[in-house]
Amino acid sequence: MDAQRLKENFALVGGNGIDVAEYFYADLFEKNPRLRSLFSGAMAKQHEKLLTALAHIVESVDDEAALVPYLRDLGRRHDGFGVAAEYYPQVGASLIATLAHFSGPAWNEDLERDWTAAYGVVAQVMQEAAAEPVA
Ligand code: HEM
């Protein structure tokens, strides 16, 4: 996985601001209508939180010591939101679709592979923490 390539791509995509989060949730709920009810009605705050979290993850993608504790906390909170393990691939697919959409002609197989690998690690760390009994 090429961390620098991910960061550059996220900087390009992130330039589209809140549209990125809107596209992501529209794609997610269109493909998986059942997931809509997990989220509270007002999505504006959620849009900002998702973008902030993604930016933080991408920034520390090559800094495991900082990233892992952050993801474990996030994963435990998601357990409380009613997020089951099987939802992670659905969210991953909409995330990749969103990145591809906003990357336009810059999107390629290398980016798809890197993002898929990065999301896989993120999802795994979040799910492992969510599955552990609370100490
Ligand atoms: C890369 C993976 C993910 C990231 C970065 C992420 C990020 C976030 C953030 C930052 C929040 C705000 C609350 C908090 O910080 O605790 C949140 C809430 C939430 N997320 Fe995620 N999330 C991810 C994966 C998922 C998945 C796989 C689902 C499954 C559907 C999901 C569903 C939710 C729900 C239901 C909430 C609560 C919304 C509400 O309060 O209405 N997230 N997420």
Side-chain angles (χ1 to χ4, degrees):
M1 182 176 51
D2 185 333
Q4 193 53 36
R5 191 161 54 205
L6 280 190
K7 289 181 187 188
E8 281 169 17
N9 181 245
F10 192 73
L12 170 75
V13 168
N16 296 284
I18 215 73
D19 288 358
V20 178
E22 269 168 25
Y23 186 96
F24 166 78
Y25 286 110
D27 186 83
L28 183 69
F29 297 148
E30 191 185 309
K31 291 174 181 161
N32 313 280
R34 279 188 330 128
L35 294 185
R36 181 69 185 87
S37 61
L38 292 177
F39 293 84
S40 57
M43 292 298 289
K45 277 226 174 75
Q46 181 63 27
H47 287 162
E48 275 171 42
K49 285 181 188 169
L50 175 84
L51 285 182
T52 308
L54 282 178
H56 182 77
I57 290 168
V58 172
E59 204 182 312
S60 49
V61 73
D62 45 7
D63 181 2
E64 213 176 295
L67 186 58
V68 169
Y70 174 80
L71 291 178
R72 287 178 56 81
D73 280 348
L74 191 61
R76 278 190 286 258
R77 290 202 298 275
H78 276 71
D79 188 37
F81 301 145
V83 173
E86 76 234 43
Y87 301 159
Y88 278 87
Q90 297 168 343
V91 165
S94 287
L95 181 63
I96 300 283
T98 302
L99 292 164
H101 174 81
F102 287 100
S103 296
W107 190 249
N108 58 36
E109 280 179 13
D110 288 342
L111 278 169
E112 177 151 2
R113 203 179 42 238
D114 279 3
W115 276 113
T116 304
Y119 182 79
V121 173
V122 167
Q124 192 189 343
V125 174
M126 286 175 70
Q127 284 172 72
E128 274 172 14
E132 282 168 17
V134 182

